[in-house]
Amino acid sequence: MNTTGALFNAFPFMVWADYTWGKNANIIGGATNGTGFTSATSENSEKWMYRVNLNIGFSF
């Protein structure tokens, strides 16, 4: 699993963005069963999965 991201500050705003991709990682969809554990027999264990995370903040 690899995560690449950046933080941008322009007071009073903050933007945090990251892109995560990997294989056999349950945080991005590798586990398809109710236990939350990923195994070599999980449906998505051999697929490259990804997710994008975007956070926007405002300080006052």
Side-chain angles (χ1 to χ4, degrees):
M1 185 169 74
N2 189 356
T3 301
T4 302
L7 172 69
F8 303 99
N9 258 337
F11 191 78
F13 297 99
M14 178 202 72
V15 177
W16 174 277
D18 62 42
Y19 181 79
T20 303
W21 69 96
K23 282 172 61 172
N24 202 21
N26 46 349
I27 194 169
I28 54 176
T32 56
N33 56 17
T35 63
F37 293 104
T38 304
S39 70
T41 59
S42 295
E43 183 180 337
N44 293 327
S45 66
E46 290 301 316
K47 295 179 184 176
W48 284 96
M49 308 290 285
Y50 70 92
R51 86 174 191 180
V52 176
N53 185 32
L54 179 65
N55 295 305
I56 300 172
F58 177 76
S59 297
F60 53 94

